[in-house]
Amino acid sequence: MTGRIEIRRRAYLAGAFSLEEEADRALGRLRALPMAETPFAALEPARSLAQAAALDRARARGDALGPLAGALLAHKDMFDREGFSTGFGAHFSRRQPAAGTATVLSRLDAAGQVDLGRLKMSEFAMGPTGHNHHHGMPANPAVPGAITGGSSSGSGAAVAAGHVAAALGSDTGGSIRLPAACNGVVGFKPTQGRAPMDRTMPLGYSQDCVGPLAATVADAQAVLSLIAPLPPAAPKPVPVAELRVGFDTGAFTDGISARMRHALSDLVARLAAMGARPVGLDLAFLSHLGEPANVTAMAEAAAVHADALALAPDSYGPQVRARLVQAAAIPAHAYLRAQQIRRVAHDRLTAEAFGRVDLLLLPTLADTPPQAALLDVGDGPGVDSVVAGLTRLTRPASFLGLPALSLPIARLADGPLSVQVIGPAWADDRVAALALTIETALALPAIQPEPEYA
């Protein structure tokens, strides 16, 4: 299936529109959005219009243009761009001028993107709901009143609203896949270590991962291939007729809703009708990875923020400050024990799951995205259960460094239902191939029509 980005590229190369004019119109629409609703933390009009004008001139000269020519993108406010400041979703006093540009942005620039600016995010990427004490939560275009998902909240909302063709986010425990699920779009967390992380805000170094959110699987895969090509030895896609698809029959998915269970069962049956071989697996042991994954992420975050937390504690929102203070008390033996559990769990999943199947198919959320007003996101103990509940199904892939792609499989009146396709390390293209098969077979209506600027 051809993605929106490639369709726009063909139209642009054919002279269907001026990219500078399209970017100017998009910026005008974005400026008109109320601050409480916009997914943007900052627009960067002078630079983005200059990018668009340069591409228009290159097209007029007949120069070869990259695969993103004609596309408007924007990215989570955690990637450095030389000459601009990075905000991290934090208090304005914490903004930092960038001395260079993140490799992931440079690669997208070289491919012909027009980058409109910086997208909202949870403060310092800490929080799966999308709430932000300093800047609020962007509106969810798919489900009024629902959480936008975090921490890449603006990325999910901007794609779902049709403002951009794709957006980069980051994922340490589900922060690409959760916003994708909440907003009904595609989110692709690659294999740990695939995407370069230089000049990118750290949270938990051993799980931090950069990847795209996009309207379609083809668009997400295209952007990911540009920022982080796979090594030649990466596992290749398997034809659906030969594919062994694993799904959980144990306690790991006990908490999902009846309608999610029905949608997942229907999807498994569809894949079987196409020739795939569904394999039931007891993945109950994955339920025990949430706590060691959280210990790992929070201990590493405490190290990142130790100095700033001591020198400027009031620059943190109360929820993030409370979580970091708690994280600073995690003992070394608990962190080391979490790493032992990680190795054992990786070996067990490799033997018991990927020894029998090519890919796993699991829910991203237990049901449709919850309404924001129903969640306790203060600085008390309630926030811990919110975090654990929302990330329960996404943390294992992050903790074990595996590629995982979330995509919607149903659109209900109160929001989308989404699943994850998860593969062994470096099987990213295999993950994308199954996701594309699912997307094509279901043929769901788009969350938004073709973007107005496109």
Side-chain angles (χ1 to χ4, degrees):
M1 179 181 290
T2 303
R4 288 186 175 188
I5 289 173
E6 177 58 24
I7 291 171
R8 292 301 302 152
R9 180 179 182 273
R10 293 174 185 176
Y12 180 61
L13 295 181
F17 59 93
S18 159
L19 190 51
E20 185 177 13
E21 292 175 0
E22 293 290 292
D24 190 49
R25 282 193 288 269
L27 290 164
R29 288 192 295 271
L30 291 168
R31 289 190 193 98
L33 292 176
M35 187 59 66
E37 296 180 12
T38 181
F40 278 80
L43 296 171
E44 295 170 347
R47 181 193 46 71
S48 54
L49 289 173
Q51 280 183 317
L55 286 161
D56 283 346
R57 291 193 297 271
R59 181 183 62 176
R61 292 192 302 267
D63 294 351
L65 297 180
L68 295 182
L72 304 184
L73 279 71
H75 308 295
K76 190 174 183 178
D77 190 11
M78 58 177 284
F79 303 105
D80 283 355
R81 184 178 283 284
E82 188 171 8
F84 295 83
S85 292
T86 312
F88 317 115
H91 188 272
F92 291 111
S93 65
R94 300 296 300 277
R95 294 185 66 83
Q96 292 184 7
T101 299
T103 295
V104 290
L105 293 190
S106 295
R107 289 178 176 176
L108 295 180
D109 291 344
Q113 74 160 343
V114 171
D115 180 357
L116 295 179
R118 299 176 177 275
L119 296 169
K120 289 180 177 178
M121 58 183 285
S122 302
E123 182 181 3
F124 290 115
M126 291 180 62
T129 65
H131 288 85
N132 186 301
H133 174 76
H134 307 290
H135 310 296
M137 182 176 65
N140 185 323
V143 194
I147 62 170
T148 319
S151 61
S152 308
S153 54
S155 300
V159 170
H163 298 313
V164 295
L168 293 184
S170 69
D171 193 311
T172 307
S175 289
I176 288 172
R177 291 160 287 153
L178 291 173
C182 288
N183 293 279
V185 299
V186 175
F188 199 167
K189 184 203 90 67
T191 297
Q192 183 70 28
R194 176 179 173 183
M197 299 295 296
D198 61 287
R199 299 195 178 278
T200 296
M201 185 208 79
L203 175 60
Y205 77 93
S206 70
Q207 296 179 78
D208 288 348
C209 205
V210 172
L213 294 92
T216 71
V217 173
D219 290 327
Q221 187 177 25
V223 172
L224 182 56
S225 68
L226 291 169
I227 64 169
L230 275 169
K236 304 302 180 187
V238 176
V240 174
E242 302 172 16
L243 201 61
R244 300 167 301 165
V245 180
F247 61 95
D248 179 52
T249 57
F252 182 55
T253 53
D254 272 357
I256 67 174
S257 70
R259 54 188 183 174
M260 171 61 86
R261 192 171 300 281
H262 175 77
L264 189 57
S265 296
D266 180 68
L267 177 57
V268 169
R270 282 174 177 260
L271 291 172
M274 297 169 66
R277 181 154 63 89
V279 179
L281 300 169
D282 184 352
L283 300 175
F285 73 95
L286 296 180
S287 301
H288 304 297
L289 300 187
E291 183 57 23
N294 186 59
V295 165
T296 299
M298 293 308 299
E300 292 170 1
V304 169
H305 290 276
D307 292 341
L309 190 63
L311 294 171
D314 292 340
S315 67
Y316 291 89
Q319 180 201 118
V320 171
R321 182 171 61 245
R323 291 183 68 196
L324 285 172
V325 168
Q326 183 182 29
I330 294 174
H333 70 79
Y335 179 82
L336 294 174
R337 179 63 172 163
Q339 307 323 299
Q340 293 172 334
I341 293 171
R342 176 188 255 172
R343 289 192 293 273
V344 171
H346 184 277
D347 292 346
R348 183 173 178 181
L349 189 67
T350 299
E352 296 183 12
F354 294 125
R356 298 179 58 196
V357 301
D358 302 295
L359 297 168
L360 297 175
L361 191 61
L362 298 169
T364 309
L365 287 171
D367 197 51
T368 56
Q371 289 287 301
L374 301 180
L375 298 182
D376 178 2
V377 292
D379 56 351
V383 70
D384 292 336
S385 63
V386 170
V387 171
L390 286 172
T391 62
R392 186 175 68 84
L393 297 165
T394 57
R395 276 201 182 278
S398 293
F399 191 48
L400 303 180
L402 306 178
L405 185 151
S406 177
L407 76 160
I409 59 168
R411 299 199 190 281
L412 308 181
D414 59 340
L417 297 173
S418 293
V419 298
Q420 303 172 82
V421 180
I422 302 173
W426 306 108
D428 304 48
D429 280 354
R430 185 178 294 176
V431 165
L434 177 58
L436 183 60
T437 297
I438 292 170
E439 182 181 70
T440 304
L442 296 178
L444 296 181
I447 193 68
Q448 288 286 336
E450 189 74 8
E452 292 181 29
Y453 64 78

